[in-house]
Amino acid sequence: MHGVFPVGNSPHDHPGRGHPMSTQKEAPPEETLDPEDWESMRALGHRILDDAMDYLETLRDRPVWQHAPPEIKSHFEGPAPSDPEPPGKVYQEYLDTILPYQVGNSHPRFWGWVAGSGTVMGMLAETLAASTDAVSGAFSYQSNNYVEMQVLDWCKELLGYPRDAGGLLTSGCSASNLIGMAVARNTRAGFDVRGRGLRNAPHQMTIYCSDEAHSSIQKAVELLGFGSDALRRVPVSESMQMDLKSLKAIIGKDREDGLLPLCIVGGAGTTNTGAIDDLNSLADICAKERCWFHVDGAFGAWAAIAPGYRHLVAGMERADSLAFDLHKWMYLQYPIGCLLVRNPDQHRQAFSLTPAYLAHGEGDRGLTGIDVPWLADYGFELSRGFHALKAWMTLKEQGAAKYGRLIRQNIRQAQYLAALVEAAPELELALPVSLNIVNFRYIRPGTPNSRLDHLNKQIECELQEQGVAVPSIVTLRGRKYLHVAVTNHRSRRDDFDLLVQEVIRIGGELA
Amino acid sequence: MHGVFPVGNSPHDHPGRGHPMSTQKEAPPEETLDPEDWESMRALGHRILDDAMDYLETLRDRPVWQHAPPEIKSHFEGPAPSDPEPPGKVYQEYLDTILPYQVGNSHPRFWGWVAGSGTVMGMLAETLAASTDAVSGAFSYQSNNYVEMQVLDWCKELLGYPRDAGGLLTSGCSASNLIGMAVARNTRAGFDVRGRGLRNAPHQMTIYCSDEAHSSIQKAVELLGFGSDALRRVPVSESMQMDLKSLKAIIGKDREDGLLPLCIVGGAGTTNTGAIDDLNSLADICAKERCWFHVDGAFGAWAAIAPGYRHLVAGMERADSLAFDLHKWMYLQYPIGCLLVRNPDQHRQAFSLTPAYLAHGEGDRGLTGIDVPWLADYGFELSRGFHALKAWMTLKEQGAAKYGRLIRQNIRQAQYLAALVEAAPELELALPVSLNIVNFRYIRPGTPNSRLDHLNKQIECELQEQGVAVPSIVTLRGRKYLHVAVTNHRSRRDDFDLLVQEVIRIGGELA
């Protein structure tokens, strides 16, 4: 196992030179996309790696974001290049026109929406995966499948989900929600949905989520053919959690109407406020109502590994399917999400389809032998990138304990920011911080809310355009707030000091 | 535009040090996932880059594939690492246990199924995208969106598709087919599918594809809720193309039965044989029958850019939606696929959903201003990786003309292999080569077909396990054939000489 490239079974390397057809006169010279000059390409690679390391090491020295000017936009309007360009020239164009105008989510003061920040080891892992053009989730007796299975096992272990569950890595939580709800549909519809289709469903099915649920839930409901009318948006309580009394009432009404309550979607960390539904109660209701319990834990699921905060997501482990990202609160590079499904057979039965050219799982030989399951049988993608590698390498490098401390650090930073906001008379907190999201606004006594909405939107734009910080804007109970989601391993307390200072400064200048 | 990191609008860098709350005694020290020792991490990065370049430069010196032994599989069974490990140790584990057991698709003699081979510039682009944790398809005034829009424009231009079409990059053709057929469904169902759902459809809808269509078509039909019963698998002709007479008869019968023929899926390059349906005739039938015309051009679409072969995919440009990969015949790293949709409004209307926290497209300021459309509104993913960069950099580096020559080279290599097979009495070609796929088998006079099926499966395994080459196996008209799909920019004619030589050698030894 120690030689990287065993040569014992390598065939001889220059075959067929004397073959009559390979030397025929009319054969055109053969080309490849490999470099003509490997040494200069290697030098460019080293330059790129150095620049990338410089970039990461000096993130704080530059604005979080800058507005790309119109000439940058128009720069990207030309036709397809017909002729080749020197690789170094292509890279220079990247440096001039692409790198300066990034979203900025790797910067310590990017907190808009809910974003990831990436790791250095994640970058090196992406280089490695790209070097072999690695594939995962198909073909037997190859390590990439083992790595993905191990990353899934680690996710189950860390989140307290059953070890014998099924799952797969996805492009993100939108795909995870889609696949989880597809399993719910195909498992619980009470007839052969895969074969007969929803038009032949004996009952109209209904799905339940809170008013604060992510848009990807509605997108999944629509894509799966339920129709958004089938999605019941249950009102939330003061704490922004799904109101259980309302939920029960709506389910009761739907049953009276002859509908089939199929699935309840619990949220573990909403986008707006980080609210976590009462997952144990939802699991109880699902058990009683024979509903599928899907949890959208996009970032919030990872509260489970923060020392002292696991209780926040208690009940999550009872989900029939659990969707979450690793490119947000696990800080890994886009894209990597995950879906876990309690019953791996149900997961497989919802998706598996094996045409003759993909036959696998017989014999113990070659790329199609009996081995681990092909994860392509557990989702809608066949060719799948090796997203697992960056998770595997970064988790090994950092250790899960440090990940837990960092997630706790982000939660505490949110509490720290909330305390700064409460201490400042110019600022108003929207509601108590439940996890890692802080919503607040600049206020002035006597100013109408519509004017404050406009003012806070202007403050958001100024913060972004001055390169100070990137918060976003959310609307809560009809009012606009600055939205700070702390899923950033580079943020420090003094970054939040700066944010508060600058919001007050800009607010004062604009007001 | 020439300074990479303009500092004009950078805020001061060490704010808040004197702030009373940031210096409070009880505050725990803050951590980050960034390296403690940047210099040693940088050195590791250079080592990884060197090793990756060595790997790519010496691909031919190693076996195409090797069977991972059981101890490798069991190596990946441990629990989540709690403690950190030195980065160099993690990398050594990659070298020992992951790198040797890759699928092998970057090797010059990997031709199984239909796979990509990756480019060196693609690898460097993936490093760059990972260095900024780049996102595409959301947020305004940032270059990644412009790059993705330009790559889409280049695809339209190169494939002869209308310039004003919509589209987006995807994780692969399975996702592209799914999204394309979702647009078909939501546009042509004749009622509000997104709102009301398929159970309330006035008519049962039907979808048509050939018997040889890819499994992802059925997967999409099932996921979208049509049910696989709604998928009509039209028989193929001798040339493995959809039989048009049968298609018309089935549509006629469905209309008589009160069904709604919704969508015809034409194939531009089937997995089994590379057959391309008569796309112009299918477009005519779609026009007459008012069906949506979706083309699955996974790899075959790119025949359009090979000098002398564009006619093979004539009519493809008439598709309402066109799905294809760039990680197969455009040789780019996984994952990158594409969907183009003739009418961008229909595309957007099938998916767009904008909750308040994603409000965008007003004003000209900040990350949510009026800019290019957010591609997240054109599919089911919200957070999307920057897959466009590897396409953009590689196309610039190589030029489209060379890409066209390479695709022609692969077509000619398939013809070359077919000629070798026809010249060898021990081998039998399954059918004439229509594009870049060659199916053939080892034969012995008087041997029954069941025995030949077994023998050729054994030959496939020996070729793989001896590291000589990776073909796969397909079943055509009830018989098993070795399947060689040439979508590999590193293959040379002498690689096919070796393949033929080794099939005859192994066949002789086994028979």
Side-chain angles (χ1 to χ4, degrees):
Chain A
M1 213 199 293
H2 289 284
V4 176
F5 309 129
V7 290
N9 59 350
S10 176
H12 56 291
D13 194 46
H14 298 289
R17 294 246 179 261
H19 191 287
M21 293 200 64
S22 67
T23 53
Q24 57 191 319
K25 290 290 179 289
E26 72 272 24
E30 289 172 299
E31 296 184 286
T32 158
L33 297 178
D34 279 337
E36 281 172 37
D37 177 352
W38 282 93
E39 278 320 298
S40 74
M41 198 68 174
R42 184 183 296 256
L44 177 63
H46 284 295
R47 198 183 138 208
I48 284 174
L49 195 271
D50 262 329
D51 290 352
M53 294 296 293
D54 287 346
Y55 180 89
L56 286 161
E57 197 172 349
T58 60
L59 272 170
R60 289 187 170 273
D61 301 343
R62 66 179 65 85
V64 183
W65 182 77
Q66 48 185 341
H67 189 299
E71 61 268 26
I72 286 291
K73 183 175 173 183
S74 55
H75 176 81
F76 294 97
E77 284 169 2
S82 179
D83 298 326
E85 272 183 24
K89 187 161 176 277
V90 178
Y91 176 54
Q92 190 60 49
E93 193 175 345
Y94 169 85
L95 290 176
D96 293 340
T97 63
I98 300 176
L99 182 59
Y101 307 106
Q102 289 296 302
V103 173
N105 47 297
S106 55
H107 192 285
R109 287 190 296 276
F110 190 101
W111 304 301
W113 305 275
V114 182
S117 33
T119 70
V120 177
M121 187 56 111
M123 174 184 77
L124 299 181
E126 289 285 68
T127 305
L128 289 169
S131 74
T132 63
D133 196 12
V135 176
S136 185
F139 310 117
S140 305
Y141 308 115
Q142 53 113 343
S143 286
N144 303 355
N145 291 353
Y146 307 149
V147 173
E148 182 165 357
M149 298 302 274
Q150 186 166 40
V151 168
L152 291 171
D153 284 344
W154 292 351
C155 288
K156 296 174 213 165
E157 177 193 337
L158 293 170
L159 297 176
Y161 203 69
R163 175 64 189 255
D164 57 358
L168 86 166
L169 298 179
T170 67
S171 64
C173 208
S174 293
S176 301
N177 283 329
L178 175 64
I179 295 168
M181 294 172 73
V183 181
R185 183 192 71 178
N186 293 9
T187 305
R188 294 292 177 86
F191 78 110
D192 176 19
V193 182
R194 283 188 72 176
R196 302 192 56 225
L198 285 175
R199 190 163 181 274
N200 297 303
H203 306 92
Q204 175 71 49
M205 290 169 257
T206 46
I207 295 100
Y208 306 82
C209 68
S210 98
D211 246 352
E212 292 282 308
H214 191 259
S215 58
S216 61
I217 301 297
Q218 183 177 338
K219 277 197 164 187
V221 162
E222 292 175 355
L223 199 61
L224 292 170
F226 292 116
S228 54
D229 291 351
L231 183 63
R232 310 297 191 226
R233 291 193 161 274
V234 181
V236 292
S237 64
E238 272 298 300
S239 56
M240 310 303 271
Q241 295 173 297
M242 198 191 302
D243 182 74
L244 300 177
K245 214 171 142 184
S246 301
L247 171 66
K248 288 179 203 165
I250 298 171
I251 292 177
K253 175 75 168 58
D254 284 340
R255 284 221 189 273
E256 277 175 34
D257 292 347
L259 311 182
L260 174 65
L262 183 88
C263 174
I264 298 174
V265 179
T270 60
T271 311
N272 277 344
T273 69
I276 297 166
D277 288 330
D278 178 347
L279 301 176
N280 263 319
S281 294
L282 290 182
D284 291 340
I285 295 171
C286 283
K288 182 164 172 287
E289 298 283 353
R290 299 178 305 284
C291 285
W292 185 273
F293 185 30
H294 177 78
V295 171
D296 177 0
F299 57 96
W302 291 104
I305 70 170
Y309 293 99
R310 183 162 208 137
H311 66 280
L312 292 177
V313 291
M316 182 174 79
E317 71 286 354
R318 296 171 63 190
D320 293 300
S321 52
L322 171 60
F324 53 92
D325 277 317
L326 288 93
H327 58 213
K328 287 184 177 123
W329 225 356
M330 288 298 273
Y331 312 109
L332 294 171
Q333 268 83 355
Y334 292 100
I336 181 170
C338 184
L339 174 72
L340 300 176
V341 178
R342 177 171 299 274
N343 183 326
D345 295 331
Q346 291 171 351
H347 189 182
R348 189 171 192 282
Q349 281 157 19
F351 282 98
S352 177
L353 186 74
T354 303
Y357 56 83
L358 287 174
H360 58 279
E362 287 181 29
D364 59 357
R365 301 188 55 197
L367 280 85
T368 54
I370 295 174
D371 192 18
V372 291
W374 286 18
L375 289 171
D377 291 332
Y378 293 75
F380 55 81
E381 292 173 340
L382 180 53
S383 300
R384 298 169 65 253
F386 190 24
H387 306 315
L389 186 62
K390 58 195 167 198
W392 188 87
M393 291 186 77
T394 305
L395 260 163
K396 287 212 163 236
E397 179 210 11
Q398 303 284 349
K402 183 168 179 186
Y403 260 105
R405 293 197 304 273
L406 276 161
I407 286 168
R408 183 181 60 186
Q409 174 172 300
N410 283 166
I411 295 172
R412 288 178 173 173
Q413 286 168 336
Q415 293 163 352
Y416 176 79
L417 172 59
L420 292 181
V421 167
E422 292 193 300
E426 305 91 335
L427 304 180
E428 179 187 76
L429 200 61
L431 70 181
V433 171
S434 62
L435 190 60
N436 62 328
I437 292 178
V438 185
N439 296 298
F440 68 102
R441 60 177 186 166
Y442 183 85
I443 50 170
R444 283 180 86 88
T447 310
N449 277 320
S450 63
R451 170 79 191 119
L452 289 179
D453 283 351
H454 180 72
L455 180 59
N456 280 279
K457 178 69 189 166
Q458 297 306 106
I459 293 172
E460 178 214 17
C461 288
E462 288 294 335
L463 287 167
Q464 293 173 356
E465 296 193 344
Q466 293 181 30
V468 175
V470 173
S472 54
I473 285 280
V474 295
T475 304
L476 294 171
R477 298 166 186 151
R479 294 176 189 176
K480 282 195 184 355
Y481 293 90
L482 294 166
H483 176 263
V484 173
V486 192
T487 48
N488 190 322
H489 68 87
R490 297 190 174 98
S491 300
R492 300 190 309 222
R493 280 184 297 274
D494 58 14
D495 290 315
F496 300 99
D497 296 331
L498 177 70
L499 174 68
V500 163
Q501 199 174 290
E502 293 290 292
V503 169
I504 293 171
R505 177 184 66 80
I506 294 168
E509 286 170 14
L510 289 174
Chain B
M1 215 201 292
H2 290 285
V4 177
F5 308 130
V7 292
N9 58 351
S10 177
H12 57 292
D13 192 45
H14 298 288
R17 293 245 178 262
H19 190 285
M21 294 200 62
S22 67
T23 53
Q24 55 192 315
K25 289 288 178 292
E26 71 274 26
E30 288 172 301
E31 296 184 285
T32 155
L33 297 178
D34 279 337
E36 283 172 33
D37 177 354
W38 281 92
E39 277 319 298
S40 74
M41 198 68 173
R42 185 183 296 255
L44 177 64
H46 284 296
R47 197 183 138 209
I48 285 174
L49 195 271
D50 261 329
D51 290 352
M53 294 295 292
D54 286 347
Y55 180 89
L56 287 161
E57 196 172 350
T58 61
L59 272 170
R60 290 186 169 273
D61 300 343
R62 67 179 63 88
V64 182
W65 182 76
Q66 48 186 340
H67 189 299
E71 61 268 26
I72 287 292
K73 183 176 171 182
S74 54
H75 176 81
F76 294 97
E77 283 168 2
S82 177
D83 298 326
E85 273 183 24
K89 186 160 176 276
V90 178
Y91 177 53
Q92 190 60 49
E93 193 175 344
Y94 169 85
L95 290 176
D96 293 340
T97 64
I98 300 176
L99 181 60
Y101 306 106
Q102 288 297 302
V103 173
N105 48 297
S106 54
H107 192 284
R109 287 190 296 276
F110 191 101
W111 304 301
W113 305 276
V114 181
S117 32
T119 70
V120 177
M121 187 55 112
M123 175 184 75
L124 299 180
E126 289 285 67
T127 305
L128 290 168
S131 74
T132 63
D133 196 12
V135 176
S136 184
F139 311 117
S140 304
Y141 308 115
Q142 53 115 340
S143 286
N144 302 356
N145 290 353
Y146 307 149
V147 173
E148 183 165 356
M149 299 299 274
Q150 186 167 40
V151 169
L152 290 171
D153 283 344
W154 291 351
C155 288
K156 295 173 212 165
E157 177 193 338
L158 293 170
L159 297 176
Y161 204 69
R163 176 64 188 254
D164 57 359
L168 87 165
L169 298 179
T170 67
S171 64
C173 208
S174 293
S176 301
N177 283 328
L178 174 64
I179 296 167
M181 293 172 73
V183 181
R185 183 192 71 176
N186 293 9
T187 305
R188 294 292 176 86
F191 77 111
D192 176 17
V193 182
R194 283 189 72 176
R196 302 195 54 226
L198 285 175
R199 189 161 181 275
N200 297 303
H203 305 93
Q204 174 71 50
M205 291 170 255
T206 46
I207 296 100
Y208 306 82
C209 68
S210 98
D211 247 349
E212 292 282 308
H214 192 260
S215 56
S216 61
I217 301 298
Q218 184 178 335
K219 277 196 163 186
V221 162
E222 292 174 357
L223 199 62
L224 292 169
F226 292 118
S228 54
D229 291 353
L231 182 64
R232 309 297 191 226
R233 292 193 161 275
V234 181
V236 293
S237 65
E238 270 300 297
S239 57
M240 309 303 273
Q241 295 173 296
M242 199 191 301
D243 183 74
L244 300 177
K245 215 171 140 183
S246 301
L247 170 66
K248 288 179 202 165
I250 297 170
I251 292 177
K253 175 73 168 55
D254 284 340
R255 285 221 188 274
E256 276 176 34
D257 292 346
L259 311 181
L260 175 64
L262 182 89
C263 173
I264 297 175
V265 179
T270 60
T271 311
N272 277 344
T273 69
I276 298 165
D277 289 331
D278 179 346
L279 301 175
N280 262 319
S281 293
L282 290 182
D284 291 341
I285 294 171
C286 283
K288 184 165 169 287
E289 298 283 352
R290 299 176 309 283
C291 286
W292 186 272
F293 185 29
H294 177 77
V295 171
D296 176 1
F299 57 96
W302 291 103
I305 69 169
Y309 294 98
R310 185 163 207 135
H311 66 280
L312 292 177
V313 291
M316 183 173 78
E317 72 286 353
R318 296 171 63 190
D320 293 300
S321 51
L322 171 59
F324 52 92
D325 277 317
L326 288 92
H327 58 211
K328 288 183 177 123
W329 225 355
M330 289 300 272
Y331 313 109
L332 294 171
Q333 268 83 353
Y334 292 99
I336 181 170
C338 183
L339 174 72
L340 301 176
V341 178
R342 177 172 300 272
N343 183 325
D345 296 330
Q346 291 172 351
H347 188 183
R348 189 171 191 282
Q349 281 157 18
F351 282 97
S352 177
L353 185 73
T354 304
Y357 56 82
L358 287 174
H360 56 277
E362 287 181 29
D364 59 357
R365 300 189 53 197
L367 278 85
T368 54
I370 295 173
D371 191 17
V372 291
W374 286 17
L375 289 172
D377 291 332
Y378 293 75
F380 55 83
E381 293 173 338
L382 180 53
S383 301
R384 297 169 67 252
F386 189 25
H387 306 315
L389 185 62
K390 57 195 167 198
W392 189 87
M393 291 186 78
T394 306
L395 261 163
K396 287 214 165 237
E397 178 210 13
Q398 303 284 349
K402 184 171 179 185
Y403 259 105
R405 292 196 305 273
L406 276 161
I407 285 166
R408 182 180 62 186
Q409 175 172 301
N410 283 166
I411 295 171
R412 287 178 173 172
Q413 286 168 336
Q415 293 163 352
Y416 175 77
L417 172 60
L420 292 181
V421 167
E422 292 194 300
E426 303 91 338
L427 304 180
E428 180 186 75
L429 200 61
L431 69 182
V433 171
S434 62
L435 190 59
N436 62 327
I437 292 179
V438 185
N439 296 298
F440 68 102
R441 61 178 185 165
Y442 183 84
I443 50 170
R444 282 180 87 89
T447 309
N449 277 318
S450 62
R451 170 81 191 119
L452 289 178
D453 283 352
H454 180 72
L455 180 59
N456 280 280
K457 178 68 189 168
Q458 297 305 105
I459 293 171
E460 179 215 17
C461 288
E462 289 293 335
L463 288 166
Q464 293 174 356
E465 297 194 342
Q466 293 182 30
V468 175
V470 173
S472 54
I473 285 281
V474 296
T475 303
L476 294 171
R477 297 166 186 150
R479 295 177 189 175
K480 282 195 183 357
Y481 293 90
L482 294 165
H483 176 263
V484 173
V486 192
T487 49
N488 190 322
H489 68 86
R490 297 190 174 100
S491 301
R492 301 189 309 224
R493 280 184 297 276
D494 58 15
D495 291 313
F496 301 99
D497 295 333
L498 177 69
L499 174 68
V500 163
Q501 201 175 291
E502 293 290 291
V503 169
I504 293 171
R505 176 183 66 80
I506 294 168
E509 287 170 13
L510 290 173

